[in-house]
Amino acid sequence: MGELVFPVGFMWGTAASAHQTEGGNSNSDWWEWELRQGTPCKEPSGAAIDHYNRYPQDLALLAGLGFNTHRFSVEWARIEPEEGAFDEAQLDHYRSMVDAVRSNGLIPIVTLNHFTLPMWVAAKGGWLGDATPGFFARYVGRVVEAFGNRVDWYNPINEAAAVAFGGYMGAMGFPPGAHGVASWRRAVRGLIAGHRQAREAIKRLRPGAQVGQMHALQEWESNAGGRSVMEYSRRMGEDVYLEGSRDDDYVGVNTYTRTRIEMSRPMGWFARGALSVGPIERFLVSRTVDRQVAAGLVVDPREGIRRTPMGYEYRPQAIAATVRRVAGLFPGKPILVTEHGVATDDDTERVEYIRAGLEALHTLIGEGIPLRAYIHWTGFDNFEWALGYSMKFGLVAVDRETQERKPKPSARFLGQIAQANRLTIG
Ligand code: BGC
């Protein structure tokens, strides 16, 4: 038996987003998308887990489990339902929520945009619209003003890469359902400008606030044939956003898995950046291995690989690989794990996943990497975007008929680690 002790002041928490938990987010592009015919959504978000009304009990439950931090998002579509019209009652609502986070002894980490846009922004082209970064920064300013000195940690946009790939390249079934490299490029520009302008707006009001991106990163691996494709995909999916972290106060890392790219022969044209070539688009939008194999693009890598219901490789230690890469890119900059988790119906698997992830992360702390937080995705089973309620990422089960919450063993497991600030091993 031994103990892995975490640094004093380490932040332990769970992460959630407004649309996935609150319910009734009817002024947003996702709401409309879920109800529209022909989109890949399994089911609408509806009342979600009614966190909009139940947040006082939910936060008390999380604090009672042993956490000291809470990551959540505020909903632009509620706060600015019409262009330029800010709803003071909604700002009050979120201010009360922040107060509840704090009075439960939790440090608030606030994301200002987690995938969803107000309908009016979507109607102007979403992240393709030239004015969107400015609209976003104006809204961010209003929120930061309303929160005053209650919040020290901000994240303007969650996983810009997922938004760009998902909604503008066509890879993940996100709104607005645009396809192709040209719209992807424009969305990337918009998202990066949005982040930059939002950071400036926050810093103007609260120079001492900590502002960072939260990146969707994976551990990558390839055989010799797949190397150039791997490097190319990583550049498009990660590096274009990572570059923007240079000016941030911290880097948020969200990691779930590893991607292995095995190809029978090298594809040099990937490396040369021939972006308009059809097969590249096909590769990037073909998230499923079946389609990649059918397109003759990859050698089927599934033999013998353990997978999660998301189709991802089960690879809890991937988080250590991504944190290490970020630490190498930005020596000395604080790093927060802002998402790590697994979809599973078998909670013992989640306990195993958390343990393996934390063991791997602890090694990095020993190496002197300034890791400040472990934030698990997610507290409560919730709405997993196009996949609806089928994916169970939560530490706490929710009966959606009765909205009853039931902590799973993994909730107690991680809560106890958080409280003790150490993990017992062996
Ligand atoms: C997103 C979450 C999502 C989670 C699990 C992350 O990419 O930020 O909204 O639910 O992954 O798929």
Side-chain angles (χ1 to χ4, degrees):
M1 293 274 278
E3 281 188 331
L4 303 181
V5 179
F6 285 77
V8 175
F10 197 77
M11 293 191 278
W12 296 95
T14 59
S17 85
H19 187 79
Q20 292 175 273
T21 56
E22 288 181 343
N25 189 20
S26 56
N27 261 321
S28 69
D29 60 343
W30 261 92
W31 183 270
E32 191 274 335
W33 180 249
E34 291 156 21
L35 298 173
R36 200 193 297 173
Q37 288 290 313
T39 65
C41 297
K42 269 197 163 168
E43 57 188 320
S45 52
I49 60 163
D50 192 29
H51 184 64
Y52 187 84
N53 297 306
R54 288 167 198 261
Y55 75 83
Q57 302 92 295
D58 288 347
L59 294 171
L61 198 163
L62 292 171
L65 285 167
F67 296 109
N68 63 18
T69 300
H70 184 57
R71 182 189 158 209
F72 64 102
S73 74
V74 297
E75 184 55 57
W76 188 3
R78 290 190 200 275
I79 292 171
E80 192 182 359
E82 307 283 344
E83 182 178 346
F86 290 88
D87 186 333
E88 291 300 327
Q90 295 297 340
L91 284 167
D92 281 349
H93 169 88
Y94 285 114
R95 200 169 24 226
S96 305
M97 192 168 162
V98 168
D99 286 339
V101 170
R102 288 163 54 96
S103 65
N104 275 291
L106 302 165
I107 299 166
I109 301 181
V110 175
T111 291
L112 294 145
N113 178 259
H114 196 123
F115 294 176
T116 49
L117 292 174
M119 284 293 291
W120 66 266
V121 178
K124 289 172 184 283
W127 288 108
L128 302 178
D130 290 338
T132 299
F135 289 139
F136 179 56
R138 180 179 61 179
Y139 142 78
V140 165
R142 290 299 288 259
V143 174
V144 173
E145 221 166 45
F147 289 175
N149 58 11
R150 294 170 174 84
V151 174
D152 292 325
W153 295 88
Y154 282 107
N155 158 238
I157 299 170
N158 176 69
E159 297 189 348
V163 176
F165 263 140
Y168 298 88
M169 175 79 86
M172 285 157 68
F174 284 14
H179 282 266
V181 170
S183 68
W184 173 80
R185 267 185 199 282
R186 273 184 67 191
V188 169
R189 270 201 301 274
L191 285 154
I192 290 175
H195 171 71
R196 221 187 35 244
Q197 292 184 34
R199 183 180 55 213
E200 282 162 14
I202 298 168
K203 290 289 190 180
R204 252 196 312 276
L205 293 157
R206 291 285 320 286
Q210 303 295 298
V211 183
Q213 297 187 68
M214 293 182 183
H215 299 281
L217 305 181
Q218 303 184 42
E219 180 180 5
W220 293 87
E221 223 184 57
S222 73
N223 66 354
R227 172 158 288 275
S228 56
V229 172
M230 181 202 81
E231 284 172 354
Y232 191 76
S233 307
R234 189 169 61 188
R235 210 157 58 234
M236 287 182 77
E238 301 185 357
D239 298 357
V240 285
Y241 311 94
L242 277 167
E243 278 153 24
S245 281
R246 210 161 290 287
D247 303 321
D248 291 349
D249 299 300
Y250 71 90
V251 187
V253 176
N254 299 354
T255 296
Y256 291 84
T257 190
R258 164 170 73 177
T259 293
R260 287 138 72 108
I261 297 188
E262 295 181 29
M263 304 186 91
S264 44
R265 58 179 196 287
M267 290 201 172
W269 38 267
F270 268 100
R272 289 197 301 275
L275 260 183
S276 57
V277 178
I280 297 180
E281 279 187 52
R282 280 212 301 283
F283 176 77
L284 290 168
V285 302
S286 299
R287 292 262 298 183
T288 68
V289 176
D290 283 335
R291 284 170 61 195
Q292 290 170 1
V293 171
L297 290 168
V298 301
V299 178
D300 193 336
R302 286 170 300 189
E303 295 300 302
I305 288 183
R306 180 174 168 193
R307 287 182 172 267
T308 76
M310 292 292 283
Y312 303 161
E313 180 185 355
Y314 177 90
R315 177 82 179 161
Q317 315 86 312
I319 186 67
T322 54
V323 169
R324 184 176 273 117
R325 185 161 105 84
V326 167
L329 291 171
F330 307 109
K333 202 181 274 288
I335 300 173
L336 278 61
V337 168
T338 40
E339 286 185 29
H340 176 250
V342 61
T344 179
D345 292 330
D346 172 6
D347 195 56
T348 54
E349 188 169 58
R350 189 177 343 271
V351 169
E352 182 199 333
Y353 188 95
I354 294 169
R355 174 182 282 288
L358 289 177
E359 286 184 11
L361 284 169
H362 193 270
T363 313
L364 306 183
I365 294 170
E367 290 170 18
I369 291 177
L371 182 68
R372 299 275 184 264
Y374 176 82
I375 314 284
H376 189 76
W377 186 271
T378 180
F380 301 84
D381 284 339
N382 63 41
F383 179 72
E384 181 56 27
W385 306 109
L387 296 171
Y389 292 95
S390 60
M391 295 294 150
K392 309 289 186 205
F393 276 95
L395 300 172
V396 177
V398 179
D399 178 331
R400 290 197 58 251
E401 296 282 306
T402 62
Q403 294 291 1
E404 190 198 344
R405 277 62 168 148
K406 246 201 206 120
K408 304 175 191 177
S410 57
R412 313 245 178 250
F413 174 71
L414 184 56
Q416 275 160 14
I417 296 170
Q419 200 153 35
N421 202 29
R422 65 191 62 207
L423 166 68
T424 306
I425 49 165

